[in-house]
Amino acid sequence: MANKCHICLLGLIILCPLFTGINGVEETRVFCSFGEDVILPCNNALSDCNSTTWNYSRNRNSAAVELFAGGMKKYDIKRHERLSLGSNCSLNIDKATEEDHGHYTCLQYVNKQRHGNDARVLLHVLHIFPSSTQNEIRPGNSVTLSCQLYSHDGVSCDILDHTEGIQLFWVNQAGANLQTDSRYLISSSGHCNITLTTTLLNEDNNIEWRCQVNERNEVKTSASYTVKYLGPLDTPITPTQVIVIVVVIAALAVLIPAVVLSVICRKRAENRKGIDSSMVTYKDEYKGTYETINISIPTTPSANGQTDVVTYCEVTASSSKQMKKNNVHSYDKVTYATIR
């Protein structure tokens, strides 16, 4: 029993620096979700950031990498373009990724001498991974979402839960814990990972599920996943829609024959009107025409000085034809009035 107590005590001694820092210096925890901009405070900053140095290490056992020295950025690091110093010497990280999690230390140097206590920051990054491709996000298919909290390397979430009260939850848009809903299968692993598995329904389109991090029952950050279906959904037809469809079909069954009959009647009427018009034109052709033509030929002198005058004073031609049933009476009249 005594040996077990010694082992437990030894474990607490090893883990204690992870949460309280070295030399009694407390470590500030910062939580963010993947893709967010994050600010790490420098709690020991002096009035001038020229004395500020920022170091980074994935865990306490790995070698530290200088990000800033004397207020100047180090450009030989991979993510230098996403790092900058704030006005209060804070370290700003644009669009944080899982590679950014770990330990950060803000140090102050005056005349090349280390000044004051170090300010330590532990950055946690939350990220959701869909296990299915977009083409599989369809009603009736199963989907699994994995939520990972990147924190201490080698430290499980069980330890974080017992020592710091850090927990992961899957919640809906209203913030209700999905652990109590039988439709969802929630499982967790010891490496700060919690998964959600469910079968998609039609009404899940555009729905949002969130993975949430709580520290001692206080929400620190969350990452969301929104369901997006690619094409139109096969929605069931309701009884009301069936009634509407039947009424429309019945109305069309009455309306279409009426329209066709109306068109046929109009066409027949137009055909009869065309025949009557043709008959009138045929009658008018036999009423006769009358024309009057006045022609004169200029006089030309002859060899003995006399002139011959030829004048066609008037030529009138008339034509008149009459038709009565089967008997046809027709006559032409030509009148030559005067010729000199």
Side-chain angles (χ1 to χ4, degrees):
M1 184 68 180
N3 291 335
K4 290 183 179 179
C5 291
H6 288 303
I7 293 174
C8 292
L9 182 60
L10 180 61
L12 290 175
I13 293 173
I14 294 174
L15 292 174
C16 187
L18 292 175
F19 308 113
T20 60
I22 298 175
N23 299 328
V25 178
E26 292 187 1
E27 195 168 47
T28 302
R29 295 181 181 277
V30 175
F31 298 83
C32 72
S33 63
F34 183 90
E36 283 186 342
D37 296 340
V38 62
I39 298 175
L40 307 184
C42 180
N43 294 329
N44 64 349
L46 302 179
S47 58
D48 189 351
C49 291
N50 291 334
S51 60
T52 299
T53 295
W54 273 99
N55 292 341
Y56 166 77
S57 60
R58 179 58 54 85
N59 54 61
R60 293 194 182 279
N61 296 325
S62 61
V65 177
E66 271 192 343
L67 305 178
F68 284 84
M72 302 298 293
K73 184 191 298 187
K74 295 287 186 176
Y75 287 92
D76 56 347
I77 57 176
K78 182 178 179 180
R79 52 183 175 143
H80 67 85
E81 71 279 356
R82 295 191 294 111
L83 303 178
S84 62
L85 282 184
S87 58
N88 55 355
C89 306
S90 61
L91 178 62
N92 301 335
I93 304 176
D94 295 338
K95 297 179 174 57
T97 71
E98 65 272 15
E99 296 297 325
D100 295 322
H101 85 278
H103 297 266
Y104 294 80
T105 305
C106 184
L107 307 94
Q108 303 299 323
Y109 286 89
V110 177
N111 297 324
K112 299 183 179 181
Q113 298 294 321
R114 202 158 171 174
H115 177 78
N117 294 327
D118 299 342
R120 297 187 179 90
V121 181
L122 176 59
L123 177 61
H124 305 261
V125 180
L126 188 67
H127 193 18
I128 293 178
F129 301 90
S131 62
S132 305
T133 64
Q134 185 63 49
N135 292 332
E136 296 172 336
I137 307 300
R138 297 289 300 166
N141 290 350
S142 177
V143 63
T144 299
L145 303 178
S146 178
C147 179
Q148 177 80 40
L149 179 65
Y150 292 90
S151 185
H152 301 281
D153 284 354
V155 179
S156 69
C157 272
D158 291 337
I159 294 177
L160 292 178
D161 183 13
H162 286 91
T163 57
E164 301 297 325
I166 296 176
Q167 295 178 320
L168 295 179
F169 301 95
W170 276 105
V171 299
N172 59 17
Q173 297 176 105
N177 193 339
L178 297 179
Q179 184 75 47
T180 58
D181 193 330
S182 59
R183 182 192 160 192
Y184 303 96
L185 176 61
I186 308 296
S187 60
S188 60
S189 67
H191 299 288
C192 292
N193 182 280
I194 185 170
T195 60
L196 176 150
T197 302
T198 187
T199 299
L200 296 173
L201 305 176
N202 283 343
E203 55 266 29
D204 288 337
N205 192 28
N206 294 322
I207 198 172
E208 181 184 271
W209 295 313
R210 293 201 313 271
C211 180
Q212 181 174 291
V213 179
N214 285 11
E215 183 182 26
R216 304 191 187 282
N217 298 323
E218 180 184 353
V219 179
K220 289 300 182 178
T221 190
S222 64
S224 62
Y225 178 85
T226 303
V227 178
K228 292 288 186 182
Y229 293 152
L230 288 178
L233 303 180
D234 298 328
T235 56
I237 299 177
T238 63
T240 302
Q241 291 173 326
V242 172
I243 294 173
V244 171
I245 292 172
V246 171
V247 170
V248 171
I249 292 175
L252 291 176
V254 175
L255 182 61
I256 292 176
V259 172
V260 172
L261 182 60
S262 175
V263 171
I264 292 173
C265 292
R266 188 182 304 116
K267 192 67 177 176
R268 288 180 177 177
E270 291 176 354
N271 290 341
R272 279 198 296 270
K273 183 178 179 181
I275 293 172
D276 295 341
S277 176
S278 177
M279 290 175 64
V280 171
T281 303
Y282 180 72
K283 288 179 180 179
D284 291 343
E285 288 177 353
Y286 292 91
K287 287 184 179 180
T289 57
Y290 302 89
E291 297 180 1
T292 301
I293 301 174
N294 296 318
I295 302 175
S296 64
I297 299 176
T299 60
T300 56
S302 63
N304 56 6
Q306 295 181 348
T307 60
D308 295 328
V309 177
V310 179
T311 301
Y312 298 88
C313 296
E314 185 179 14
V315 176
T316 300
S318 64
S319 175
S320 177
K321 297 182 180 180
Q322 296 180 356
M323 295 182 63
K324 294 181 180 179
K325 297 182 180 179
N326 295 329
N327 297 326
V328 179
H329 301 281
S330 175
Y331 62 92
D332 296 325
K333 180 181 179 181
V334 179
T335 302
Y336 302 95
T338 305
I339 299 177
R340 290 204 310 267

PDB file of all heavy atoms in Angstrom, residues 34-56:
ATOM      1  N   PHE A  34      -9.735  25.796 -34.851  1.00  0.00           N
ATOM      2  CA  PHE A  34      -8.935  25.783 -36.076  1.00  0.00           C
ATOM      3  C   PHE A  34      -9.353  26.933 -37.001  1.00  0.00           C
ATOM      4  O   PHE A  34     -10.535  27.147 -37.264  1.00  0.00           O
ATOM      5  CB  PHE A  34      -9.132  24.446 -36.792  1.00  0.00           C
ATOM      6  CG  PHE A  34      -8.320  24.281 -38.031  1.00  0.00           C
ATOM      7  CD1 PHE A  34      -7.052  23.737 -37.982  1.00  0.00           C
ATOM      8  CD2 PHE A  34      -8.826  24.664 -39.265  1.00  0.00           C
ATOM      9  CE1 PHE A  34      -6.294  23.579 -39.132  1.00  0.00           C
ATOM     10  CE2 PHE A  34      -8.090  24.514 -40.414  1.00  0.00           C
ATOM     11  CZ  PHE A  34      -6.820  23.969 -40.349  1.00  0.00           C
ATOM     12  N   GLY A  35      -8.364  27.715 -37.490  1.00  0.00           N
ATOM     13  CA  GLY A  35      -8.628  28.802 -38.428  1.00  0.00           C
ATOM     14  C   GLY A  35      -8.881  30.145 -37.774  1.00  0.00           C
ATOM     15  O   GLY A  35      -9.006  31.157 -38.486  1.00  0.00           O
ATOM     16  N   GLU A  36      -8.960  30.201 -36.456  1.00  0.00           N
ATOM     17  CA  GLU A  36      -9.195  31.470 -35.766  1.00  0.00           C
ATOM     18  C   GLU A  36      -7.883  32.229 -35.550  1.00  0.00           C
ATOM     19  O   GLU A  36      -6.811  31.638 -35.486  1.00  0.00           O
ATOM     20  CB  GLU A  36      -9.852  31.227 -34.401  1.00  0.00           C
ATOM     21  CG  GLU A  36     -11.320  30.898 -34.453  1.00  0.00           C
ATOM     22  CD  GLU A  36     -11.925  30.818 -33.064  1.00  0.00           C
ATOM     23  OE1 GLU A  36     -11.155  30.683 -32.081  1.00  0.00           O
ATOM     24  OE2 GLU A  36     -13.157  30.874 -32.945  1.00  0.00           O
ATOM     25  N   ASP A  37      -8.020  33.546 -35.416  1.00  0.00           N
ATOM     26  CA  ASP A  37      -6.885  34.370 -34.998  1.00  0.00           C
ATOM     27  C   ASP A  37      -6.832  34.353 -33.470  1.00  0.00           C
ATOM     28  O   ASP A  37      -7.875  34.474 -32.803  1.00  0.00           O
ATOM     29  CB  ASP A  37      -7.055  35.805 -35.497  1.00  0.00           C
ATOM     30  CG  ASP A  37      -7.041  35.898 -37.020  1.00  0.00           C
ATOM     31  OD1 ASP A  37      -6.545  34.960 -37.663  1.00  0.00           O
ATOM     32  OD2 ASP A  37      -7.550  36.904 -37.559  1.00  0.00           O
ATOM     33  N   VAL A  38      -5.649  34.217 -32.924  1.00  0.00           N
ATOM     34  CA  VAL A  38      -5.513  34.084 -31.480  1.00  0.00           C
ATOM     35  C   VAL A  38      -4.426  35.020 -30.967  1.00  0.00           C
ATOM     36  O   VAL A  38      -3.450  35.319 -31.675  1.00  0.00           O
ATOM     37  CB  VAL A  38      -5.205  32.612 -31.100  1.00  0.00           C
ATOM     38  CG1 VAL A  38      -3.891  32.151 -31.713  1.00  0.00           C
ATOM     39  CG2 VAL A  38      -5.215  32.416 -29.597  1.00  0.00           C
ATOM     40  N   ILE A  39      -4.612  35.496 -29.738  1.00  0.00           N
ATOM     41  CA  ILE A  39      -3.660  36.409 -29.095  1.00  0.00           C
ATOM     42  C   ILE A  39      -3.158  35.757 -27.810  1.00  0.00           C
ATOM     43  O   ILE A  39      -3.948  35.382 -26.936  1.00  0.00           O
ATOM     44  CB  ILE A  39      -4.317  37.774 -28.782  1.00  0.00           C
ATOM     45  CG1 ILE A  39      -4.777  38.455 -30.070  1.00  0.00           C
ATOM     46  CG2 ILE A  39      -3.341  38.663 -28.022  1.00  0.00           C
ATOM     47  CD1 ILE A  39      -5.533  39.747 -29.839  1.00  0.00           C
ATOM     48  N   LEU A  40      -1.829  35.631 -27.692  1.00  0.00           N
ATOM     49  CA  LEU A  40      -1.214  35.077 -26.482  1.00  0.00           C
ATOM     50  C   LEU A  40      -0.646  36.242 -25.669  1.00  0.00           C
ATOM     51  O   LEU A  40       0.230  36.975 -26.143  1.00  0.00           O
ATOM     52  CB  LEU A  40      -0.102  34.087 -26.845  1.00  0.00           C
ATOM     53  CG  LEU A  40      -0.488  32.966 -27.823  1.00  0.00           C
ATOM     54  CD1 LEU A  40       0.688  32.012 -28.015  1.00  0.00           C
ATOM     55  CD2 LEU A  40      -1.714  32.211 -27.334  1.00  0.00           C
ATOM     56  N   PRO A  41      -1.128  36.430 -24.439  1.00  0.00           N
ATOM     57  CA  PRO A  41      -0.688  37.597 -23.647  1.00  0.00           C
ATOM     58  C   PRO A  41       0.732  37.429 -23.103  1.00  0.00           C
ATOM     59  O   PRO A  41       1.186  36.319 -22.807  1.00  0.00           O
ATOM     60  CB  PRO A  41      -1.708  37.626 -22.505  1.00  0.00           C
ATOM     61  CG  PRO A  41      -2.124  36.199 -22.334  1.00  0.00           C
ATOM     62  CD  PRO A  41      -2.103  35.595 -23.711  1.00  0.00           C
ATOM     63  N   CYS A  42       1.406  38.562 -23.011  1.00  0.00           N
ATOM     64  CA  CYS A  42       2.731  38.599 -22.381  1.00  0.00           C
ATOM     65  C   CYS A  42       2.568  39.375 -21.066  1.00  0.00           C
ATOM     66  O   CYS A  42       2.579  40.615 -21.043  1.00  0.00           O
ATOM     67  CB  CYS A  42       3.742  39.289 -23.302  1.00  0.00           C
ATOM     68  SG  CYS A  42       5.411  39.381 -22.610  1.00  0.00           S
ATOM     69  N   ASN A  43       2.384  38.632 -19.977  1.00  0.00           N
ATOM     70  CA  ASN A  43       2.028  39.268 -18.704  1.00  0.00           C
ATOM     71  C   ASN A  43       3.215  39.924 -17.997  1.00  0.00           C
ATOM     72  O   ASN A  43       3.026  40.585 -16.965  1.00  0.00           O
ATOM     73  CB  ASN A  43       1.403  38.235 -17.762  1.00  0.00           C
ATOM     74  CG  ASN A  43       0.073  37.727 -18.296  1.00  0.00           C
ATOM     75  OD1 ASN A  43      -0.659  38.461 -18.976  1.00  0.00           O
ATOM     76  ND2 ASN A  43      -0.251  36.469 -18.007  1.00  0.00           N
ATOM     77  N   ASN A  44       4.430  39.744 -18.486  1.00  0.00           N
ATOM     78  CA  ASN A  44       5.590  40.376 -17.861  1.00  0.00           C
ATOM     79  C   ASN A  44       6.203  41.453 -18.757  1.00  0.00           C
ATOM     80  O   ASN A  44       7.369  41.816 -18.595  1.00  0.00           O
ATOM     81  CB  ASN A  44       6.647  39.325 -17.511  1.00  0.00           C
ATOM     82  CG  ASN A  44       7.203  38.649 -18.763  1.00  0.00           C
ATOM     83  OD1 ASN A  44       6.671  38.822 -19.860  1.00  0.00           O
ATOM     84  ND2 ASN A  44       8.279  37.880 -18.592  1.00  0.00           N
ATOM     85  N   ALA A  45       5.423  41.949 -19.733  1.00  0.00           N
ATOM     86  CA  ALA A  45       5.957  42.903 -20.705  1.00  0.00           C
ATOM     87  C   ALA A  45       6.356  44.208 -20.033  1.00  0.00           C
ATOM     88  O   ALA A  45       5.703  44.675 -19.082  1.00  0.00           O
ATOM     89  CB  ALA A  45       4.922  43.172 -21.793  1.00  0.00           C
ATOM     90  N   LEU A  46       7.435  44.802 -20.557  1.00  0.00           N
ATOM     91  CA  LEU A  46       7.880  46.113 -20.109  1.00  0.00           C
ATOM     92  C   LEU A  46       7.285  47.171 -21.025  1.00  0.00           C
ATOM     93  O   LEU A  46       6.502  46.882 -21.933  1.00  0.00           O
ATOM     94  CB  LEU A  46       9.410  46.165 -20.116  1.00  0.00           C
ATOM     95  CG  LEU A  46      10.104  45.109 -19.249  1.00  0.00           C
ATOM     96  CD1 LEU A  46      11.634  45.245 -19.366  1.00  0.00           C
ATOM     97  CD2 LEU A  46       9.681  45.243 -17.785  1.00  0.00           C
ATOM     98  N   SER A  47       7.658  48.386 -20.821  1.00  0.00           N
ATOM     99  CA  SER A  47       7.080  49.476 -21.607  1.00  0.00           C
ATOM    100  C   SER A  47       7.522  49.429 -23.061  1.00  0.00           C
ATOM    101  O   SER A  47       6.843  49.926 -23.947  1.00  0.00           O
ATOM    102  CB  SER A  47       7.466  50.833 -20.988  1.00  0.00           C
ATOM    103  OG  SER A  47       8.882  50.954 -20.935  1.00  0.00           O
ATOM    104  N   ASP A  48       8.688  48.814 -23.301  1.00  0.00           N
ATOM    105  CA  ASP A  48       9.233  48.750 -24.646  1.00  0.00           C
ATOM    106  C   ASP A  48       9.388  47.291 -25.056  1.00  0.00           C
ATOM    107  O   ASP A  48      10.044  46.509 -24.366  1.00  0.00           O
ATOM    108  CB  ASP A  48      10.602  49.454 -24.674  1.00  0.00           C
ATOM    109  CG  ASP A  48      11.113  49.620 -26.098  1.00  0.00           C
ATOM    110  OD1 ASP A  48      10.494  49.040 -27.023  1.00  0.00           O
ATOM    111  OD2 ASP A  48      12.122  50.320 -26.279  1.00  0.00           O
ATOM    112  N   CYS A  49       8.775  46.922 -26.207  1.00  0.00           N
ATOM    113  CA  CYS A  49       8.834  45.523 -26.662  1.00  0.00           C
ATOM    114  C   CYS A  49      10.195  45.148 -27.222  1.00  0.00           C
ATOM    115  O   CYS A  49      10.396  43.981 -27.609  1.00  0.00           O
ATOM    116  CB  CYS A  49       7.763  45.273 -27.726  1.00  0.00           C
ATOM    117  SG  CYS A  49       6.077  45.332 -27.073  1.00  0.00           S
ATOM    118  N   ASN A  50      11.115  46.088 -27.281  1.00  0.00           N
ATOM    119  CA  ASN A  50      12.460  45.763 -27.770  1.00  0.00           C
ATOM    120  C   ASN A  50      13.176  44.802 -26.835  1.00  0.00           C
ATOM    121  O   ASN A  50      14.198  44.222 -27.197  1.00  0.00           O
ATOM    122  CB  ASN A  50      13.304  47.037 -27.923  1.00  0.00           C
ATOM    123  CG  ASN A  50      12.807  47.907 -29.067  1.00  0.00           C
ATOM    124  OD1 ASN A  50      12.192  47.397 -30.012  1.00  0.00           O
ATOM    125  ND2 ASN A  50      13.053  49.203 -28.985  1.00  0.00           N
ATOM    126  N   SER A  51      12.652  44.652 -25.628  1.00  0.00           N
ATOM    127  CA  SER A  51      13.266  43.733 -24.665  1.00  0.00           C
ATOM    128  C   SER A  51      12.577  42.369 -24.665  1.00  0.00           C
ATOM    129  O   SER A  51      12.987  41.477 -23.913  1.00  0.00           O
ATOM    130  CB  SER A  51      13.202  44.332 -23.253  1.00  0.00           C
ATOM    131  OG  SER A  51      11.847  44.553 -22.879  1.00  0.00           O
ATOM    132  N   THR A  52      11.563  42.201 -25.521  1.00  0.00           N
ATOM    133  CA  THR A  52      10.722  40.994 -25.478  1.00  0.00           C
ATOM    134  C   THR A  52      11.258  39.898 -26.386  1.00  0.00           C
ATOM    135  O   THR A  52      11.634  40.132 -27.533  1.00  0.00           O
ATOM    136  CB  THR A  52       9.276  41.335 -25.894  1.00  0.00           C
ATOM    137  OG1 THR A  52       8.745  42.291 -24.983  1.00  0.00           O
ATOM    138  CG2 THR A  52       8.404  40.092 -25.901  1.00  0.00           C
ATOM    139  N   THR A  53      11.242  38.686 -25.855  1.00  0.00           N
ATOM    140  CA  THR A  53      11.585  37.479 -26.614  1.00  0.00           C
ATOM    141  C   THR A  53      10.474  36.454 -26.409  1.00  0.00           C
ATOM    142  O   THR A  53      10.028  36.236 -25.271  1.00  0.00           O
ATOM    143  CB  THR A  53      12.924  36.891 -26.150  1.00  0.00           C
ATOM    144  OG1 THR A  53      13.983  37.804 -26.452  1.00  0.00           O
ATOM    145  CG2 THR A  53      13.204  35.557 -26.833  1.00  0.00           C
ATOM    146  N   TRP A  54      10.047  35.854 -27.516  1.00  0.00           N
ATOM    147  CA  TRP A  54       9.039  34.795 -27.456  1.00  0.00           C
ATOM    148  C   TRP A  54       9.671  33.476 -27.900  1.00  0.00           C
ATOM    149  O   TRP A  54      10.262  33.394 -28.981  1.00  0.00           O
ATOM    150  CB  TRP A  54       7.844  35.097 -28.363  1.00  0.00           C
ATOM    151  CG  TRP A  54       6.760  35.932 -27.741  1.00  0.00           C
ATOM    152  CD1 TRP A  54       6.574  37.266 -27.897  1.00  0.00           C
ATOM    153  CD2 TRP A  54       5.723  35.466 -26.883  1.00  0.00           C
ATOM    154  NE1 TRP A  54       5.482  37.693 -27.196  1.00  0.00           N
ATOM    155  CE2 TRP A  54       4.926  36.592 -26.548  1.00  0.00           C
ATOM    156  CE3 TRP A  54       5.377  34.225 -26.343  1.00  0.00           C
ATOM    157  CZ2 TRP A  54       3.819  36.511 -25.712  1.00  0.00           C
ATOM    158  CZ3 TRP A  54       4.270  34.148 -25.502  1.00  0.00           C
ATOM    159  CH2 TRP A  54       3.504  35.279 -25.199  1.00  0.00           C
ATOM    160  N   ASN A  55       9.527  32.442 -27.063  1.00  0.00           N
ATOM    161  CA  ASN A  55      10.001  31.098 -27.384  1.00  0.00           C
ATOM    162  C   ASN A  55       8.809  30.139 -27.487  1.00  0.00           C
ATOM    163  O   ASN A  55       7.751  30.357 -26.877  1.00  0.00           O
ATOM    164  CB  ASN A  55      10.974  30.578 -26.316  1.00  0.00           C
ATOM    165  CG  ASN A  55      12.290  31.339 -26.321  1.00  0.00           C
ATOM    166  OD1 ASN A  55      12.627  31.997 -27.307  1.00  0.00           O
ATOM    167  ND2 ASN A  55      13.035  31.264 -25.223  1.00  0.00           N
ATOM    168  N   TYR A  56       9.024  29.071 -28.279  1.00  0.00           N
ATOM    169  CA  TYR A  56       7.967  28.072 -28.442  1.00  0.00           C
ATOM    170  C   TYR A  56       8.562  26.680 -28.345  1.00  0.00           C
ATOM    171  O   TYR A  56       9.666  26.411 -28.845  1.00  0.00           O
ATOM    172  CB  TYR A  56       7.290  28.223 -29.802  1.00  0.00           C
ATOM    173  CG  TYR A  56       6.431  27.039 -30.185  1.00  0.00           C
ATOM    174  CD1 TYR A  56       5.179  26.870 -29.631  1.00  0.00           C
ATOM    175  CD2 TYR A  56       6.906  26.081 -31.081  1.00  0.00           C
ATOM    176  CE1 TYR A  56       4.392  25.773 -29.978  1.00  0.00           C
ATOM    177  CE2 TYR A  56       6.134  24.981 -31.429  1.00  0.00           C
ATOM    178  CZ  TYR A  56       4.872  24.828 -30.869  1.00  0.00           C
ATOM    179  OH  TYR A  56       4.106  23.749 -31.196  1.00  0.00           O
TER     180      TYR A  56
END
